mmCIF file of all heavy atoms in Angstrom:
data_model
loop_
_atom_site.group_PDB
_atom_site.id
_atom_site.type_symbol
_atom_site.label_atom_id
_atom_site.label_comp_id
_atom_site.label_asym_id
_atom_site.label_seq_id
_atom_site.Cartn_x
_atom_site.Cartn_y
_atom_site.Cartn_z
ATOM 1 N N LEU A 135 -1.677 15.184 -1.264
ATOM 2 C CA LEU A 135 -1.898 16.057 -2.420
ATOM 3 C C LEU A 135 -2.044 17.479 -1.888
ATOM 4 O O LEU A 135 -2.943 17.759 -1.082
ATOM 5 C CB LEU A 135 -3.162 15.582 -3.147
ATOM 6 C CG LEU A 135 -3.577 16.248 -4.442
ATOM 7 C CD1 LEU A 135 -2.450 16.262 -5.456
ATOM 8 C CD2 LEU A 135 -4.783 15.493 -5.025
ATOM 9 N N LEU A 136 -1.130 18.359 -2.309
ATOM 10 C CA LEU A 136 -1.122 19.738 -1.789
ATOM 11 C C LEU A 136 -2.063 20.610 -2.610
ATOM 12 O O LEU A 136 -1.801 20.887 -3.782
ATOM 13 C CB LEU A 136 0.301 20.307 -1.867
ATOM 14 C CG LEU A 136 1.356 19.548 -1.077
ATOM 15 C CD1 LEU A 136 2.739 20.144 -1.332
ATOM 16 C CD2 LEU A 136 1.023 19.571 0.409
ATOM 17 N N VAL A 137 -3.159 21.009 -2.004
ATOM 18 C CA VAL A 137 -4.176 21.755 -2.761
ATOM 19 C C VAL A 137 -4.618 23.026 -2.042
ATOM 20 O O VAL A 137 -5.700 23.537 -2.281
ATOM 21 C CB VAL A 137 -5.405 20.858 -3.055
ATOM 22 C CG1 VAL A 137 -5.069 19.767 -4.050
ATOM 23 C CG2 VAL A 137 -5.958 20.247 -1.761
ATOM 24 N N GLY A 138 -3.772 23.546 -1.142
ATOM 25 C CA GLY A 138 -4.204 24.664 -0.302
ATOM 26 C C GLY A 138 -3.816 26.044 -0.790
ATOM 27 O O GLY A 138 -4.117 27.038 -0.132
ATOM 28 N N GLY A 139 -3.151 26.146 -1.955
ATOM 29 C CA GLY A 139 -2.681 27.462 -2.429
ATOM 30 C C GLY A 139 -3.830 28.346 -2.898
ATOM 31 O O GLY A 139 -4.939 27.882 -3.140
ATOM 32 N N GLN A 140 -3.523 29.652 -3.017
ATOM 33 C CA GLN A 140 -4.560 30.628 -3.391
ATOM 34 C C GLN A 140 -4.760 30.739 -4.894
ATOM 35 O O GLN A 140 -5.734 31.340 -5.338
ATOM 36 C CB GLN A 140 -4.176 31.997 -2.841
ATOM 37 C CG GLN A 140 -4.029 31.991 -1.347
ATOM 38 C CD GLN A 140 -4.623 33.236 -0.714
ATOM 39 O OE1 GLN A 140 -4.977 34.179 -1.396
ATOM 40 N NE2 GLN A 140 -4.734 33.227 0.593
ATOM 41 N N GLY A 141 -3.822 30.204 -5.661
ATOM 42 C CA GLY A 141 -3.971 30.246 -7.118
ATOM 43 C C GLY A 141 -4.073 31.662 -7.659
ATOM 44 O O GLY A 141 -4.906 31.949 -8.521
ATOM 45 N N THR A 142 -3.194 32.549 -7.171
ATOM 46 C CA THR A 142 -3.307 33.971 -7.552
ATOM 47 C C THR A 142 -3.123 34.189 -9.055
ATOM 48 O O THR A 142 -3.758 35.066 -9.626
ATOM 49 C CB THR A 142 -2.257 34.827 -6.809
ATOM 50 O OG1 THR A 142 -1.005 34.151 -6.885
ATOM 51 C CG2 THR A 142 -2.627 35.005 -5.355
ATOM 52 N N ARG A 143 -2.295 33.379 -9.687
ATOM 53 C CA ARG A 143 -2.060 33.601 -11.122
ATOM 54 C C ARG A 143 -3.287 33.285 -11.966
ATOM 55 O O ARG A 143 -3.376 33.695 -13.110
ATOM 56 C CB ARG A 143 -0.862 32.738 -11.593
ATOM 57 C CG ARG A 143 0.481 33.220 -11.081
ATOM 58 C CD ARG A 143 1.565 32.192 -11.317
ATOM 59 N NE ARG A 143 1.308 30.956 -10.585
ATOM 60 C CZ ARG A 143 1.862 29.785 -10.844
ATOM 61 N NH1 ARG A 143 2.700 29.685 -11.842
ATOM 62 N NH2 ARG A 143 1.573 28.721 -10.111
ATOM 63 N N LEU A 144 -4.215 32.548 -11.394
ATOM 64 C CA LEU A 144 -5.424 32.197 -12.151
ATOM 65 C C LEU A 144 -6.632 33.046 -11.759
ATOM 66 O O LEU A 144 -7.750 32.726 -12.118
ATOM 67 C CB LEU A 144 -5.762 30.720 -11.965
ATOM 68 C CG LEU A 144 -5.158 29.764 -12.987
ATOM 69 C CD1 LEU A 144 -5.585 28.339 -12.699
ATOM 70 C CD2 LEU A 144 -5.564 30.124 -14.402
ATOM 71 N N LYS A 153 -7.978 26.541 -7.256
ATOM 72 C CA LYS A 153 -7.412 26.072 -8.538
ATOM 73 C C LYS A 153 -7.591 24.574 -8.770
ATOM 74 O O LYS A 153 -8.057 24.173 -9.845
ATOM 75 C CB LYS A 153 -5.930 26.480 -8.609
ATOM 76 C CG LYS A 153 -5.180 25.982 -9.812
ATOM 77 C CD LYS A 153 -3.819 26.671 -9.948
ATOM 78 C CE LYS A 153 -2.884 26.483 -8.786
ATOM 79 N NZ LYS A 153 -1.550 27.077 -9.022
ATOM 80 N N PRO A 154 -7.277 23.703 -7.795
ATOM 81 C CA PRO A 154 -7.376 22.261 -8.085
ATOM 82 C C PRO A 154 -8.822 21.785 -8.284
ATOM 83 O O PRO A 154 -9.041 20.673 -8.739
ATOM 84 C CB PRO A 154 -6.772 21.601 -6.840
ATOM 85 C CG PRO A 154 -5.950 22.672 -6.191
ATOM 86 C CD PRO A 154 -6.669 23.949 -6.473
ATOM 87 N N GLN A 167 -5.720 13.970 -10.959
ATOM 88 C CA GLN A 167 -4.555 13.568 -10.157
ATOM 89 C C GLN A 167 -4.869 12.379 -9.248
ATOM 90 O O GLN A 167 -4.070 11.445 -9.147
ATOM 91 C CB GLN A 167 -4.097 14.754 -9.307
ATOM 92 C CG GLN A 167 -3.385 15.802 -10.127
ATOM 93 C CD GLN A 167 -2.685 16.772 -9.227
ATOM 94 O OE1 GLN A 167 -3.307 17.355 -8.359
ATOM 95 N NE2 GLN A 167 -1.401 16.969 -9.421
ATOM 96 N N LEU A 181 -5.660 14.969 1.397
ATOM 97 C CA LEU A 181 -5.731 16.252 0.679
ATOM 98 C C LEU A 181 -5.334 17.348 1.649
ATOM 99 O O LEU A 181 -6.037 17.584 2.634
ATOM 100 C CB LEU A 181 -7.160 16.536 0.215
ATOM 101 C CG LEU A 181 -7.706 15.895 -1.051
ATOM 102 C CD1 LEU A 181 -9.048 16.536 -1.409
ATOM 103 C CD2 LEU A 181 -6.743 16.054 -2.203
ATOM 104 N N GLY A 182 -4.224 18.014 1.393
ATOM 105 C CA GLY A 182 -3.763 19.108 2.249
ATOM 106 C C GLY A 182 -4.419 20.396 1.804
ATOM 107 O O GLY A 182 -3.990 21.024 0.833
ATOM 108 N N THR A 183 -5.491 20.792 2.499
ATOM 109 C CA THR A 183 -6.274 21.952 2.070
ATOM 110 C C THR A 183 -6.042 23.131 2.996
ATOM 111 O O THR A 183 -5.641 22.979 4.156
ATOM 112 C CB THR A 183 -7.783 21.631 2.067
ATOM 113 O OG1 THR A 183 -8.169 21.320 3.402
ATOM 114 C CG2 THR A 183 -8.114 20.455 1.171
ATOM 115 N N SER A 184 -6.348 24.320 2.486
ATOM 116 C CA SER A 184 -6.311 25.531 3.304
ATOM 117 C C SER A 184 -7.308 26.512 2.685
ATOM 118 O O SER A 184 -8.419 26.640 3.159
ATOM 119 C CB SER A 184 -4.884 26.089 3.341
ATOM 120 O OG SER A 184 -4.875 27.351 3.937
ATOM 121 N N TYR A 185 -6.924 27.147 1.564
ATOM 122 C CA TYR A 185 -7.813 28.091 0.891
ATOM 123 C C TYR A 185 -9.078 27.379 0.403
ATOM 124 O O TYR A 185 -8.986 26.384 -0.307
ATOM 125 C CB TYR A 185 -7.047 28.721 -0.284
ATOM 126 C CG TYR A 185 -7.838 29.677 -1.130
ATOM 127 C CD1 TYR A 185 -8.259 30.896 -0.613
ATOM 128 C CD2 TYR A 185 -8.157 29.369 -2.450
ATOM 129 C CE1 TYR A 185 -8.981 31.784 -1.402
ATOM 130 C CE2 TYR A 185 -8.868 30.252 -3.238
ATOM 131 C CZ TYR A 185 -9.278 31.455 -2.702
ATOM 132 O OH TYR A 185 -9.997 32.324 -3.487
ATOM 133 N N ALA A 206 -7.228 17.041 5.260
ATOM 134 C CA ALA A 206 -6.532 17.713 6.367
ATOM 135 C C ALA A 206 -6.560 19.208 6.063
ATOM 136 O O ALA A 206 -6.130 19.617 4.986
ATOM 137 C CB ALA A 206 -5.087 17.219 6.460
ATOM 138 N N GLU A 208 -5.516 23.109 7.099
ATOM 139 C CA GLU A 208 -4.700 24.005 7.933
ATOM 140 C C GLU A 208 -5.527 25.231 8.318
ATOM 141 O O GLU A 208 -6.221 25.785 7.467
ATOM 142 C CB GLU A 208 -3.478 24.473 7.137
ATOM 143 C CG GLU A 208 -2.565 23.360 6.725
ATOM 144 C CD GLU A 208 -2.020 23.559 5.310
ATOM 145 O OE1 GLU A 208 -1.562 24.659 4.962
ATOM 146 O OE2 GLU A 208 -2.087 22.592 4.536
ATOM 147 N N GLU A 210 -4.228 28.125 9.193
ATOM 148 C CA GLU A 210 -3.514 29.152 8.439
ATOM 149 C C GLU A 210 -2.690 28.422 7.399
ATOM 150 O O GLU A 210 -2.183 27.342 7.692
ATOM 151 C CB GLU A 210 -2.536 29.920 9.354
ATOM 152 C CG GLU A 210 -3.190 30.674 10.484
ATOM 153 C CD GLU A 210 -4.017 31.842 9.973
ATOM 154 O OE1 GLU A 210 -3.643 32.425 8.936
ATOM 155 O OE2 GLU A 210 -5.055 32.139 10.605
ATOM 156 N N PRO A 211 -2.528 28.997 6.188
ATOM 157 C CA PRO A 211 -1.708 28.308 5.187
ATOM 158 C C PRO A 211 -0.288 28.102 5.698
ATOM 159 O O PRO A 211 0.332 29.039 6.203
ATOM 160 C CB PRO A 211 -1.734 29.242 3.970
ATOM 161 C CG PRO A 211 -2.409 30.488 4.397
ATOM 162 C CD PRO A 211 -3.094 30.253 5.703
ATOM 163 N N LEU A 212 0.205 26.881 5.604
ATOM 164 C CA LEU A 212 1.509 26.556 6.182
ATOM 165 C C LEU A 212 2.611 26.407 5.130
ATOM 166 O O LEU A 212 3.720 26.011 5.449
ATOM 167 C CB LEU A 212 1.381 25.260 6.996
ATOM 168 C CG LEU A 212 0.546 25.392 8.279
ATOM 169 C CD1 LEU A 212 0.295 24.032 8.910
ATOM 170 C CD2 LEU A 212 1.235 26.330 9.276
ATOM 171 N N GLY A 213 2.297 26.738 3.857
ATOM 172 C CA GLY A 213 3.294 26.566 2.802
ATOM 173 C C GLY A 213 3.408 25.097 2.441
ATOM 174 O O GLY A 213 2.809 24.230 3.085
ATOM 175 N N THR A 214 4.194 24.810 1.409
ATOM 176 C CA THR A 214 4.256 23.436 0.904
ATOM 177 C C THR A 214 4.811 22.450 1.942
ATOM 178 O O THR A 214 4.223 21.388 2.168
ATOM 179 C CB THR A 214 5.105 23.381 -0.383
ATOM 180 O OG1 THR A 214 6.304 24.136 -0.155
ATOM 181 C CG2 THR A 214 4.355 23.960 -1.578
ATOM 182 N N GLY A 216 5.115 22.960 5.299
ATOM 183 C CA GLY A 216 4.255 22.958 6.472
ATOM 184 C C GLY A 216 3.005 22.121 6.244
ATOM 185 O O GLY A 216 2.514 21.444 7.161
ATOM 186 N N ALA A 217 2.494 22.152 5.021
ATOM 187 C CA ALA A 217 1.289 21.366 4.699
ATOM 188 C C ALA A 217 1.591 19.864 4.734
ATOM 189 O O ALA A 217 0.767 19.062 5.188
ATOM 190 C CB ALA A 217 0.760 21.763 3.326
ATOM 191 N N ILE A 218 2.781 19.481 4.277
ATOM 192 C CA ILE A 218 3.161 18.055 4.315
ATOM 193 C C ILE A 218 3.264 17.600 5.773
ATOM 194 O O ILE A 218 2.760 16.548 6.159
ATOM 195 C CB ILE A 218 4.499 17.818 3.564
ATOM 196 C CG1 ILE A 218 4.361 18.220 2.093
ATOM 197 C CG2 ILE A 218 4.928 16.357 3.687
ATOM 198 C CD1 ILE A 218 5.689 18.288 1.345
ATOM 199 N N PHE A 236 2.250 15.180 -4.012
ATOM 200 C CA PHE A 236 1.999 15.823 -5.314
ATOM 201 C C PHE A 236 1.609 17.279 -5.123
ATOM 202 O O PHE A 236 0.766 17.577 -4.272
ATOM 203 C CB PHE A 236 0.795 15.173 -6.024
ATOM 204 C CG PHE A 236 0.956 13.740 -6.366
ATOM 205 C CD1 PHE A 236 0.430 12.752 -5.538
ATOM 206 C CD2 PHE A 236 1.602 13.361 -7.527
ATOM 207 C CE1 PHE A 236 0.557 11.411 -5.866
ATOM 208 C CE2 PHE A 236 1.726 12.019 -7.858
ATOM 209 C CZ PHE A 236 1.206 11.050 -7.029
ATOM 210 N N ASN A 237 2.161 18.170 -5.944
ATOM 211 C CA ASN A 237 1.604 19.517 -6.036
ATOM 212 C C ASN A 237 0.264 19.404 -6.741
ATOM 213 O O ASN A 237 0.123 18.637 -7.697
ATOM 214 C CB ASN A 237 2.510 20.425 -6.873
ATOM 215 C CG ASN A 237 3.613 21.027 -6.052
ATOM 216 O OD1 ASN A 237 3.742 20.728 -4.868
ATOM 217 N ND2 ASN A 237 4.414 21.869 -6.663
ATOM 218 N N GLY A 238 -0.691 20.210 -6.308
ATOM 219 C CA GLY A 238 -2.050 20.066 -6.836
ATOM 220 C C GLY A 238 -2.289 20.710 -8.174
ATOM 221 O O GLY A 238 -3.432 20.766 -8.625
ATOM 222 N N ASP A 239 -1.252 21.212 -8.835
ATOM 223 C CA ASP A 239 -1.504 21.887 -10.111
ATOM 224 C C ASP A 239 -0.627 21.357 -11.244
ATOM 225 O O ASP A 239 -0.473 22.012 -12.265
ATOM 226 C CB ASP A 239 -1.314 23.399 -9.962
ATOM 227 C CG ASP A 239 0.016 23.759 -9.315
ATOM 228 O OD1 ASP A 239 0.813 22.845 -9.030
ATOM 229 O OD2 ASP A 239 0.250 24.958 -9.103
ATOM 230 N N VAL A 240 -0.055 20.170 -11.055
ATOM 231 C CA VAL A 240 0.835 19.633 -12.084
ATOM 232 C C VAL A 240 0.158 18.494 -12.847
ATOM 233 O O VAL A 240 -0.318 17.532 -12.263
ATOM 234 C CB VAL A 240 2.165 19.151 -11.464
ATOM 235 C CG1 VAL A 240 2.968 18.344 -12.466
ATOM 236 C CG2 VAL A 240 2.977 20.338 -10.977
ATOM 237 N N GLU A 326 10.601 23.608 -0.952
ATOM 238 C CA GLU A 326 11.609 23.893 -1.980
ATOM 239 C C GLU A 326 12.759 24.733 -1.418
ATOM 240 O O GLU A 326 13.926 24.499 -1.726
ATOM 241 C CB GLU A 326 10.979 24.666 -3.157
ATOM 242 C CG GLU A 326 9.826 23.964 -3.851
ATOM 243 C CD GLU A 326 8.453 24.224 -3.205
ATOM 244 O OE1 GLU A 326 8.409 24.854 -2.118
ATOM 245 O OE2 GLU A 326 7.431 23.785 -3.763
ATOM 246 N N ASP A 351 2.619 22.739 -15.726
ATOM 247 C CA ASP A 351 2.146 23.404 -14.503
ATOM 248 C C ASP A 351 0.936 24.239 -14.914
ATOM 249 O O ASP A 351 1.062 25.164 -15.715
ATOM 250 C CB ASP A 351 3.296 24.278 -13.984
ATOM 251 C CG ASP A 351 2.871 25.234 -12.884
ATOM 252 O OD1 ASP A 351 1.664 25.335 -12.589
ATOM 253 O OD2 ASP A 351 3.761 25.891 -12.316
ATOM 254 N N GLY A 353 -0.699 26.537 -13.653
ATOM 255 C CA GLY A 353 -0.883 27.709 -12.796
ATOM 256 C C GLY A 353 -1.309 28.981 -13.494
ATOM 257 O O GLY A 353 -1.808 29.892 -12.847
ATOM 258 N N THR A 354 -1.103 29.106 -14.803
ATOM 259 C CA THR A 354 -1.461 30.349 -15.504
ATOM 260 C C THR A 354 -2.641 30.081 -16.442
ATOM 261 O O THR A 354 -2.868 28.927 -16.834
ATOM 262 C CB THR A 354 -0.277 30.870 -16.351
ATOM 263 O OG1 THR A 354 -0.029 29.919 -17.397
ATOM 264 C CG2 THR A 354 0.978 31.048 -15.522
HETATM 265 P P1 GTP B 503 -0.122 30.842 -7.328
HETATM 266 O O1 GTP B 503 -0.633 31.686 -6.203
HETATM 267 O O2 GTP B 503 -0.738 31.232 -8.636
HETATM 268 O O3 GTP B 503 1.383 30.778 -7.405
HETATM 269 O O4 GTP B 503 -0.606 29.326 -7.097
HETATM 270 P P2 GTP B 503 -0.567 28.421 -5.778
HETATM 271 O O5 GTP B 503 -1.285 29.098 -4.677
HETATM 272 O O6 GTP B 503 -1.123 27.082 -6.153
HETATM 273 O O7 GTP B 503 0.946 28.305 -5.363
HETATM 274 P P3 GTP B 503 2.028 27.293 -5.915
HETATM 275 O O8 GTP B 503 1.760 27.017 -7.353
HETATM 276 O O9 GTP B 503 3.375 27.784 -5.555
HETATM 277 O O10 GTP B 503 1.769 26.006 -4.997
HETATM 278 C C1 GTP B 503 2.233 24.721 -5.346
HETATM 279 C C2 GTP B 503 1.271 23.704 -4.786
HETATM 280 O O11 GTP B 503 1.262 23.734 -3.363
HETATM 281 C C3 GTP B 503 -0.165 23.952 -5.220
HETATM 282 O O12 GTP B 503 -0.748 22.718 -5.474
HETATM 283 C C4 GTP B 503 -0.800 24.635 -4.029
HETATM 284 O O13 GTP B 503 -2.187 24.331 -3.913
HETATM 285 C C5 GTP B 503 -0.027 24.026 -2.867
HETATM 286 N N1 GTP B 503 0.148 24.969 -1.745
HETATM 287 C C6 GTP B 503 0.826 26.147 -1.758
HETATM 288 N N2 GTP B 503 0.809 26.711 -0.542
HETATM 289 C C7 GTP B 503 0.104 25.881 0.264
HETATM 290 C C8 GTP B 503 -0.266 25.922 1.661
HETATM 291 O O14 GTP B 503 0.027 26.846 2.403
HETATM 292 N N3 GTP B 503 -0.993 24.859 2.146
HETATM 293 C C9 GTP B 503 -1.357 23.810 1.337
HETATM 294 N N4 GTP B 503 -2.078 22.817 1.876
HETATM 295 N N5 GTP B 503 -1.028 23.739 0.028
HETATM 296 C C10 GTP B 503 -0.303 24.767 -0.495
#
Side-chain angles (χ1 to χ4, degrees):
L135 184 53
L136 300 175
V137 291
Q140 301 221 350
T142 46
R143 289 168 297 162
L144 269 181
K153 176 168 60 175
Q167 286 193 305
L181 279 190
T183 62
S184 171
Y185 177 68
E208 298 140 47
E210 298 292 328
L212 291 171
T214 46
I218 299 168
F236 298 98
N237 275 3
D239 51 3
V240 168
E326 301 87 353
D351 169 353
T354 66

